[in-house]
Amino acid sequence: MKLFSAAAHRCLSCHQKRLVASNQHRTFSGLSLFSKTEEHDALRSMLRTFVRREVEPQALEYNRNETFNMPLFRKLGDLGILGLTVSEEYGGAGLDASSAVIAHEELSYSDPAFCLSYLAHS
């Protein structure tokens, strides 16, 4: 299945080459957009374990019954996953947008519906 026409693909390829040539794909205001940190790795590892142990086993049952697992959602709060990008002075974790994306990736792996609830309330 082709998502892009040949012309659109060539245009995307040209745009990517320009970004690489201009080094815009790597930095924005001196910060690397694509470099993960040890904090990102630790977050991903912790979430992956949580998803495997807590989210995966309940996903099918809750989705078939069209119900929401509030106790599991509260566990996200206990882990400090709610409010990842909220400043620490307001009770959040004060992490960056990449951390939020990591949380979305890991949660959506086993239960996209649960992840969407997280996305809507975090």
Side-chain angles (χ1 to χ4, degrees), residues 32-50:
S32 176
L33 294 176
F34 301 111
S35 294
K36 61 184 179 174
T37 64
E38 288 180 19
E39 193 172 46
H40 292 142
D41 289 339
L43 176 66
R44 185 177 299 279
S45 177
M46 184 267 297
L47 278 168
R48 190 164 287 174
T49 300
F50 175 78

Side-chain angles (χ1 to χ4, degrees), residues 26-33:
R26 293 195 182 130
T27 62
F28 178 74
S29 300
L31 298 173
S32 176
L33 294 176

Side-chain angles (χ1 to χ4, degrees), residues 14-26:
C14 290
H15 179 68
Q16 289 170 340
K17 288 175 186 173
R18 282 195 304 271
L19 285 175
V20 169
S22 68
N23 206 21
Q24 289 177 4
H25 76 292
R26 293 195 182 130

Side-chain angles (χ1 to χ4, degrees), residues 73-108:
F73 194 76
R74 286 190 177 114
K75 285 184 181 181
L76 289 177
D78 294 340
L79 289 172
I81 301 303
L82 298 178
L84 275 179
T85 59
V86 174
S87 173
E88 290 181 68
E89 75 177 290
Y90 297 112
L95 298 177
D96 61 2
S98 294
S99 298
V101 170
I102 289 168
H104 299 153
E105 285 178 345
E106 293 303 322
L107 290 171
S108 67

